[in-house]
């Protein structure tokens, strides 16, 4: 067990990451992480601004925007310093905010998701400045404290705030942990959309022994849920896997075995590909539910199922990045530093790239994500140095191509 020596130049990703991990920035707390990041960036010449985003009914969130340079081309690095809760601290081998190094690995909440990516990009740009001077253009950090939370007062509002001030970007790299097994496995070039909803079926409460005097909503909610899961929505597309709907909970709020409940609810989420938009998917789901509600199989002699459908706010639209200069610059940097040709993928869940895509082309690449959100979240020290090298090669390559 050891601690890495301090390094005030920000060129050492291990030191950068230890500093960030030691800030307990569990969503929505800033925890000192943005202040620590500002202290790394300002000596490099970045102008750093902090903004607090607010919305009624949600916690205030502090965010950071930093820029080096005033001219184009303009490359954004985006990410988040907030982390998920640690769970039971007693289950951790080392305290989750101590940033201990043992066995060649650095332990701590946020090590891979995603303070590690931020630490490496800071080190990469610091080394670039040390060796070559500032890039011929501009580079910015767009860092939120709300990615692991409701994502209301984070990247969306920070982008709006920056754009209103006249900020424009040519490309963005998000430092989320994209690699499933080894560094260099995968670049995310898009994400499936996400749409959630809740079905509410109202019945008539009664005695389980006298069903003719009641109307069991469980029968109805099962039939409607089944209609959402079968048949499949599609078979996938050239760039995306098949759309997938999961019923995530069915609840009747009834602990008694001899009482027919009065109401049943089912919640669902669908991750959808580019066969759909949120609007066309809503129409298809309503069609499925309407057809199933009239099926008498589980409700012989009963009228059609009366249901209410409530959509969750803020669905995420599917997107695919086709910017060859961005993708090829990153792919070439990965191949140069690791010898691996990364897969170009749209798998997985959502990220803040879904907001950034409305402002500029965006891709994602970061550390190996196997321990993210887990007890003993950790990263190989060698991967931190390797990712810094990849980011450095990417910075040089992208600015060379974008400025051509």
């Amino acid at each position: 067990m050891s601690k890495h020596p301090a390094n005030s130049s920000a060129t050492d990703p291990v030191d950068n990451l230890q500093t960030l991990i030691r800030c307990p920035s569990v969503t929505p707390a800033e925890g000192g992480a943005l202040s620590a990041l500002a202290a790394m960036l300002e000596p490099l010449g970045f102008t750093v601004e902090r903004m607090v985003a607010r919305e009624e009914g949600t916690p205030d969130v502090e965010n950071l925007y930093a820029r080096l340079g005033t001219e184009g081309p303009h490359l954004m690095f985006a990410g988040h310093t907030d982390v998920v809760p640690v769970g039971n601290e007693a289950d951790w081998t080392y305290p989750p905010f101590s940033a201990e190094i043992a066995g060649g690995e650095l332990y701590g909440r946020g090590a891979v998701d995603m303070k590690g990516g931020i630490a490496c990009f800071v080190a990469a740009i610091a080394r670039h400045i040390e060796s070559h001077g500032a890039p011929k253009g501009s580079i910015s950090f767009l860092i939120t404290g709300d990615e692991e939370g409701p994502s209301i007062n984070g990247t969306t509002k920070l982008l709006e705030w920056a754009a209103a001030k006249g900020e424009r970007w040519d490309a963005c790299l998000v430092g989320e942990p994209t690699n499933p097994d080894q560094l260099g496995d995968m670049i995310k070039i898009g994400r499936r959309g996400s749409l959630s909803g809740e079905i509410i079926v109202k019945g008539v409460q009664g005695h389980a022994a006298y069903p003719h005097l009641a109307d069991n909503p469980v029968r109805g909610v099962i039939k409607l849920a089944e209609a959402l899961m079968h048949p499949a929505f599609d078979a996938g597309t050239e760039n995306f896997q098949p759309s997938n709907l999961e019923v995530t909970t069915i609840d009747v709020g009834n602990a008694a075995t001899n009482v027919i409940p009065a109401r049943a609810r089912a919640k669902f989420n669908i991750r959808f590909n580019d066969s759909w938009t949120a609007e066309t998917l809503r129409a298809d789901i309503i069609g499925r539910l309407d057809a199933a509600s009239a099926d008498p199989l589980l409700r012989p002699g009963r009228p059609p199922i009366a249901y209410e459908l409530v959509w969750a706010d803020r669905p995420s639209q599917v997107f695919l990045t086709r910017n060859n200069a961005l993708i090829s610059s990153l792919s070439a940097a990965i191949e140069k530093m690791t010898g691996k040709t990364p897969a170009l993928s749209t798998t997985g869940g959502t990220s803040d790239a879904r907001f950034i895509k409305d402002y500029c082309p965006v891709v994602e690449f970061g550390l190996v994500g196997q321990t993210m959100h887990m007890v003993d979240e950790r990263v190989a020290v060698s991967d931190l140095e390797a990712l810094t090298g990849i980011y450095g090669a990417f910075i040089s390559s992208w600015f060379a191509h974008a400025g051509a």
Side-chain angles (χ1 to χ4, degrees), residues 256-337:
T257 58
N258 61 346
V259 176
I260 293 171
R263 186 175 282 102
R265 301 170 181 265
K267 293 184 178 181
F268 63 89
N269 173 263
I270 181 168
R271 302 301 170 104
F272 59 93
N273 60 37
D274 53 354
S275 298
W276 307 90
T277 66
E279 293 71 31
T280 60
L281 203 51
R282 284 191 185 105
D284 187 87
I285 287 172
I286 290 170
R288 288 172 176 242
L289 295 176
D290 285 345
S293 69
D295 189 332
L297 180 63
L298 293 182
R299 292 165 50 86
R302 296 283 187 177
I305 301 165
Y307 72 90
E308 179 184 357
L309 178 57
V310 180
W311 297 107
D313 292 336
R314 299 180 175 91
S316 300
Q317 296 286 5
V318 62
F319 76 93
L320 180 69
T321 297
R322 301 181 184 274
N323 186 283
N324 184 64
L326 176 59
I327 295 170
S328 62
S329 292
L330 182 55
S331 296
I334 293 166
E335 190 165 358
K336 176 183 178 182
M337 303 306 295

Side-chain angles (χ1 to χ4, degrees), residues 12 55 109 117 121 146 186 198 202 219 256 282 284 301 339 377-378 387:
D12 187 343
E55 186 165 318
R109 177 59 83 221
F121 203 86
D146 191 33
M186 184 177 290
E198 181 180 24
K202 186 177 181 181
R219 293 174 176 264
R282 284 191 185 105
D284 187 87
E377 183 178 351
R378 60 197 181 275
L387 182 60

Side-chain angles (χ1 to χ4, degrees), residues 169-206:
W169 305 275
D170 295 295
C172 176
L173 172 63
V174 178
E176 288 284 3
T178 57
N179 295 287
D181 297 305
Q182 293 181 314
L183 199 66
D185 283 345
M186 184 177 290
I187 299 171
K188 300 283 189 180
I189 60 168
R191 294 281 186 162
R192 291 179 296 172
S194 177
L195 178 67
S196 297
E198 181 180 24
I199 306 164
I200 304 167
V201 178
K202 186 177 181 181
V204 177
Q205 184 174 313

Side-chain angles (χ1 to χ4, degrees), residues 62-278:
E62 190 168 359
N63 305 283
L64 177 146
Y65 184 73
R67 178 167 177 166
L68 175 67
T70 58
E71 305 296 326
H74 187 177
L75 175 66
M76 178 207 304
F77 177 83
H80 61 95
T81 52
D82 63 314
V83 298
V84 297
V86 301
N88 184 1
E89 286 197 34
D91 292 337
W92 286 69
T93 303
Y94 307 104
F97 298 113
S98 64
E100 298 288 351
I101 297 174
E105 295 183 303
L106 198 164
Y107 287 72
R109 177 59 83 221
V112 294
D113 190 12
M114 61 157 282
K115 290 180 176 180
I118 295 172
C120 291
F121 203 86
V122 171
I125 189 61
R127 292 179 185 183
H128 186 97
I129 293 169
E130 189 176 79
S131 299
H132 310 290
K136 290 181 171 59
S138 296
I139 195 160
S140 59
F141 283 76
L142 187 133
I143 307 296
T144 180
D146 191 33
E147 198 273 346
E148 300 290 9
S151 296
I152 292 172
N153 292 322
T155 295
T156 49
K157 287 192 170 61
L158 185 55
L159 284 164
E160 292 168 359
W161 171 86
K165 290 166 59 68
E167 293 293 296
R168 300 292 183 269
W169 305 275
D170 295 295
C172 176
L173 172 63
V174 178
E176 288 284 3
T178 57
N179 295 287
D181 297 305
Q182 293 181 314
L183 199 66
D185 283 345
M186 184 177 290
I187 299 171
K188 300 283 189 180
I189 60 168
R191 294 281 186 162
R192 291 179 296 172
S194 177
L195 178 67
S196 297
E198 181 180 24
I199 306 164
I200 304 167
V201 178
K202 186 177 181 181
V204 177
Q205 184 174 313
H207 198 297
Y210 301 91
H212 60 288
L213 299 177
D215 187 1
N216 194 339
V218 175
R219 293 174 176 264
V221 83
I222 288 173
K223 186 64 183 177
L224 297 182
E226 182 183 59
L228 295 185
M229 293 186 288
H230 181 79
F233 283 82
D234 55 68
T237 67
E238 178 184 358
N239 295 296
F240 290 87
Q241 63 196 95
S243 300
N244 179 63
L245 185 144
E246 294 294 337
V247 174
T248 55
T249 182
I250 294 180
D251 181 42
V252 295
N254 176 30
T257 58
N258 61 346
V259 176
I260 293 171
R263 186 175 282 102
R265 301 170 181 265
K267 293 184 178 181
F268 63 89
N269 173 263
I270 181 168
R271 302 301 170 104
F272 59 93
N273 60 37
D274 53 354
S275 298
W276 307 90
T277 66

